Amino acid sequence: MSEVQMLYEGLKKVQEPKGYYFNKDKERVFELLEALRVNRERYGYMSCPCRLASGEREKDKDIICPCVYRVRDVEEYGSCYCNLYVSRAWNDEEIAHGYVPESRPLSEA
């Protein structure tokens, strides 16, 4: 089993009971998980692949996946910023797949 596949299985097991599901577009999910793996290798932590990390864990603690913005984004839009984590309703296409705006304050970026 590849490192990305193991990451997928491990995160799925932890996040689904919390009500967070991987996007049903598995190709997109695996691209994002590969980017998380690369960021873990590069920085020592899995920073969000859709945001620019500083390389300083303390500055990036809000964007370590799952980021602190995921809860609100999934509640409000059905998806996190990068569409990795979604609600069941989002995957079942019961809600629109609209644009999820950046939640991270500019001062943090």
Side-chain angles (χ1 to χ4, degrees):
M1 186 181 303
S2 74
E3 195 173 339
V4 171
Q5 182 68 40
M6 289 188 308
L7 187 58
Y8 176 85
E9 296 298 333
L11 290 173
K12 182 176 178 177
K13 189 181 300 182
V14 171
Q15 298 304 321
E16 281 192 0
K18 297 176 183 179
Y20 299 102
Y21 301 87
F22 282 130
N23 185 330
K24 67 181 180 180
D25 180 348
K26 215 166 182 181
E27 185 176 332
R28 169 96 172 130
V29 168
F30 274 71
E31 287 171 358
L32 290 166
L33 292 176
E34 174 61 20
L36 283 171
R37 188 198 66 73
V38 167
N39 283 348
R40 181 175 55 199
E41 195 173 285
R42 182 180 295 151
Y43 304 120
Y45 51 91
M46 293 193 312
S47 65
C48 177
C50 299
R51 295 179 168 104
L52 186 59
S54 70
E56 295 179 43
R57 187 181 190 93
E58 188 59 30
K59 285 184 177 180
D60 294 339
K61 66 183 178 186
D62 63 321
I63 60 168
I64 294 174
C65 189
C67 73
V68 300
Y69 311 105
R70 176 186 73 169
V71 172
R72 186 183 69 80
D73 287 348
V74 171
E75 284 175 4
E76 190 169 337
Y77 303 102
S79 172
C80 70
Y81 182 60
C82 59
N83 303 134
L84 177 62
Y85 288 108
V86 301
S87 67
R88 184 186 308 264
W90 194 93
N91 261 345
D92 291 344
E93 298 186 27
E94 295 169 4
I95 59 174
H97 292 189
Y99 172 73
V100 179
E102 173 62 271
S103 298
R104 191 178 199 207
L106 288 175
S107 61
E108 300 294 322

